[in-house]
Amino acid sequence: MPNSATPTHCPYCALQCGMNLTPQQDGGVAVVERPDFPVNKGALCGKGRTAPAVLSSSVRLTSPLVRSGGELVPATWDEALDRVAEGLARTRTEHGPDACGVFGGGGLTNEKAYSLGKFARIVLGTSQIDYNGRFCMSSAAAAGMKAFGLDRGLPFPLEDIPKTGCVILVGSNPAETMPPSLRYFTELRENGGTLIVIDPRRTRTAEQADLHLAPRPGTDLALALGLLHLVVAEGRVDEEYVQERTVGWEDARAAAMAHWPEYVERITGVSVPQLREAVRLFCEPEHAMVLTARGPEQQSKGTDTVGAWINLCLATGRAGRPLSGYGCLTGQGNGQGGREHGQKADQLPGYRKLDDPAARRHVAEVWGVDPDSLPGPGRSAYELLDALGTDIKSLLLMGSNPVVSAPRAAHIEERIKSLDFLAVCDVVMSETAALADVVLPVTQWAEETGTTTNLEGRVLLRRRAITPPEGVRSDLEVMHELAARLGGERGLEKGFPTDPEEVFEELRRASAGGAADYSGITYRRLAEENGVFWPCPAVPEAADAESSEDCEDASLDATAGADDPAQDEEAAAASVHPGTPRLFLDRFATPDGRARFVPVSHRAIAEEPDDEYPVLLTTGRVVAQYQSGAQTRRVDELNAAAPGPFVELHPRLAARLGAAEGDPVAVVSRRGRAVAPARITTGIRPDTVFMPFHWPGEGRANTLTNPALDPTSRMPEFKACAVRVEAVRS
Ligand SMILES: Nc1nc2c(c(=O)[nH]1)N[C@H]1C(S)=C(S)[C@@H](COP(=O)(O)OP(=O)(O)OC[C@H]3O[C@@H](n4cnc5c(=O)[nH]c(N)nc54)[C@H](O)[C@@H]3O)O[C@H]1N2
Ligand SMILES: Nc1nc2c(c(=O)[nH]1)N[C@H]1C(S)=C(S)[C@@H](COP(=O)(O)OP(=O)(O)OC[C@H]3O[C@@H](n4cnc5c(=O)[nH]c(N)nc54)[C@H](O)[C@@H]3O)O[C@H]1N2
Ligand code: SF4
Ligand SMILES: [Mo]
């Protein structure tokens, strides 16, 4: 074990803050500032600071568990792995490979996500794999692919934000969800730039804004169209840019012109003068950015909604230019990398498409299998969970806790219970693990090495800093052992190394030539640089140098634009590709290099309020809890700060119910009923209530949410459904 500080990254969100871990007397580690890492410059939120608490074996799973007589009881690893292999093999024999499901997570390292996708397709032979990232940024990913031909959360580093003129943050609350990133927005304003926040609630982020627009949940598409209408009406279109760098403007323009500001005001509740002010702040400076997060994306029209915001950027010439652009703030620790290497239903590594014959050939060759043996695309996350117990009989789950986090969670919980067989790999006893037939305790974060890709597309190395507790094994070991058991004579385990660097070396080859090309990235480079931005193809001449000892003195010009052929040559001379911090500066990733406008029109949310369910429910996060809470609900300091669920509501609505601060209120939707204390604030629209989704049980927000899916991204409508709110009399 190293006895000095180990530089690594936080286990939680997509900012992937740098931190140092120092060994402690008691065998644990302490988090210490790591000021040299540029993204957070030493700053951490409370979750990152307290992350070592979840390493403690007092809150950990430290032995495999198997269900026996209805109870989960400790077992040896061999017994537990045999049970998993038997469960999956039986399903495969009796019902065919597609009856085996696999569900992954955007918190898994690139190595794990890559191996899980490969495991599903070549060990189980199933098409039925998807992951929780579908619930996260999938709408932005789909819209980015359509418009730019490529999906990378931010096409520029966070450090560009303070230098632009205006940022519109749409449905994003970084003050609670990525606190250290707030510095970039504060600096923007110190430099004379402006911040516009669009959120139905006056969040801690909105409090810092120059302009806060509070639309009705689920109306961001109309809002963006209204702004574009005004851009056209006020003659603010960048005609030259539109001519040179885009296609499809006429149709998009026509669609926007049908959205008069007064009509948009009626739909959104945002007044026409506020719309005009937003257009002025956005258009006057030379540079500007639009950043979206889950607010506009987690809607049954999330893809079109993000498309409308991209249209606004394109019409005003604010994409693919320095200090201007559209970006999505990805959420999970490896939300970016986790969507690139094959755990998504329709994807192969390197952001390749599973239905593309050339992609299948390339990846099948790396995997040493026949391309025809690879299954086709499978179901999306909600559809997969909804099929449990019917078409899908067995599930292997790694890195998600859907009993708390899936929409219409009571129904999904029933589906999970109706499985013939469930195996869960986790670090703690999550609500979903508690339903499993076999629970496999795995290593995490500080106990293992692996790479993640942060929201900027920066590939990072997390390093092992501590010995894992006795009794746990890594996810990679689990896949290796299951491949050995399920592969029989085929020796499939050889394709599932347990050393993360070996997996990464294969991932490099599998991703080579794909959109998310990692082939020029090595662990060695990641250890020496503060991350490398993809795409980063291997430079042919460098392939040999990389594996020999003399690559250390290769000079790296991080400012070289990878999109520029002249600079590519320079990089080749330097024998390594510098990576690509900024995308699209010369061309978009479409065949003709031009961005695509999408013609979109407003449509209603899937479930509009009515007499029976007159209020809108929206959901989201609080700063001290993470996701389903499986990890952070085990940390005392975080529980003290955020002890449980609540219903945020306006004083006018509270008065109508006769509810005072802290009184239990029931929120009822067509899916179920949840009860939590009232939190009364003028910061929310009177027609809307908000619940955080971090808790199970009576206050579980997802008991209420609507699984209406976006037709393209298959994203559920977490951010808007119709509810009734009732006072609870004791
Ligand atoms: N503390 C904490 N931090 C986290 C996480 C966590 O669980 N806890 N999770 C991480 C992950 S995976 C993610 S995806 C990110 C999410 O990060 P964010 O997207 O910032 O988080 P949310 O709270 O889900 O949603 C943001 C805001 O959208 C608003 N909103 C709700 N409905 C609408 C709407 O219809 N339109 C608009 N414009 N806004 C709306 C909500 O009021 C909320 O303030 O956070 C990451 N960071
Ligand atoms: N109502 C509502 N619901 C939402 C959202 C919302 O805004 N509103 N947001 C959605 C979003 S954006 C997301 S990302 C999802 C997230 O929701 P989940 O998918 O449930 O995510 P987590 O709670 O992070 O679950 C991760 C699980 O994996 C475990 N784990 C951590 N590291 C590892 C590892 O290395 N290996 C293994 N095997 N396990 C590990 C953790 O202990 C935890 O149990 O929730 C979605 N649900
Ligand atoms: S902001 Fe995100 S990455 Fe940074 S310390 Fe907090 S949870 Fe960790
Ligand atoms: Mo997320």
Side-chain angles (χ1 to χ4, degrees), residues 7 48 123 133 136 142 145 217 219 226 239 281 306 371 412 646 658 702:
V123 178
C136 191
M145 288 299 278
T219 63
E239 303 285 356
L281 293 177
V306 174
I412 293 305
F646 56 86
N702 276 318

Side-chain angles (χ1 to χ4, degrees), residues 135-276:
F135 297 156
C136 191
M137 58 334 104
S138 60
S139 295
M145 288 299 278
K146 272 192 198 178
F148 306 131
L150 185 72
D151 152 46
R152 195 183 86 185
L154 294 179
F156 43 72
L158 285 167
E159 69 190 39
D160 284 1
I161 289 175
K163 299 180 217 149
T164 190
C166 174
V167 174
I168 308 186
L169 267 179
V170 193
S172 165
N173 184 13
E176 302 226 34
T177 54
M178 295 180 187
S181 75
L182 217 57
R183 183 169 55 85
Y184 294 102
F185 302 101
T186 310
E187 282 172 22
L188 163 75
R189 299 191 60 223
E190 285 167 0
N191 294 343
T194 54
L195 177 65
I196 303 177
V197 170
I198 301 182
D199 195 305
R201 306 185 300 137
R202 192 176 63 241
T203 58
R204 288 189 206 171
T205 310
E207 274 165 8
Q208 322 229 351
D210 298 280
L211 179 65
H212 171 213
L213 310 181
R216 223 171 147 254
T219 63
D220 301 85
L221 174 50
L223 186 68
L225 285 162
L227 298 180
L228 184 53
H229 181 111
L230 285 169
V231 163
V232 176
E234 295 175 5
R236 297 184 189 267
V237 175
D238 186 338
E239 303 285 356
E240 203 181 306
Y241 173 94
V242 168
Q243 271 294 319
E244 278 173 15
R245 300 213 46 196
T246 71
V247 295
W249 170 230
E250 276 317 310
D251 289 343
R253 179 182 181 281
M257 292 324 280
H259 293 74
W260 289 90
E262 293 74 15
Y263 171 57
V264 169
E265 176 178 312
R266 272 203 308 282
I267 296 170
T268 62
V270 176
S271 73
V272 175
Q274 281 188 311
L275 295 172
R276 284 193 196 284

Side-chain angles (χ1 to χ4, degrees), residues 1 239 269 277 307 375 413 421 505 521 562 606:
M1 266 302 98
E239 303 285 356
E277 179 64 359
E413 190 174 347
F421 182 77
E505 286 300 308
I521 305 175

Side-chain angles (χ1 to χ4, degrees), residues 173 177 199 201 218 220 294 618 621-623 625 627 719:
N173 184 13
T177 54
D199 195 305
R201 306 185 300 137
D220 301 85
R294 301 308 82 79
T618 192
R621 295 161 165 81
V622 298
V623 65
Q625 296 289 352
Q627 313 275 62
K719 287 295 191 264

Side-chain angles (χ1 to χ4, degrees), residues 164-167 193-194 279-288 318 324:
T164 190
C166 174
V167 174
T194 54
V279 167
R280 188 184 70 78
L281 293 177
F282 184 67
C283 291
E284 278 183 357
E286 194 184 342
H287 313 292
R318 292 162 186 301
S324 280

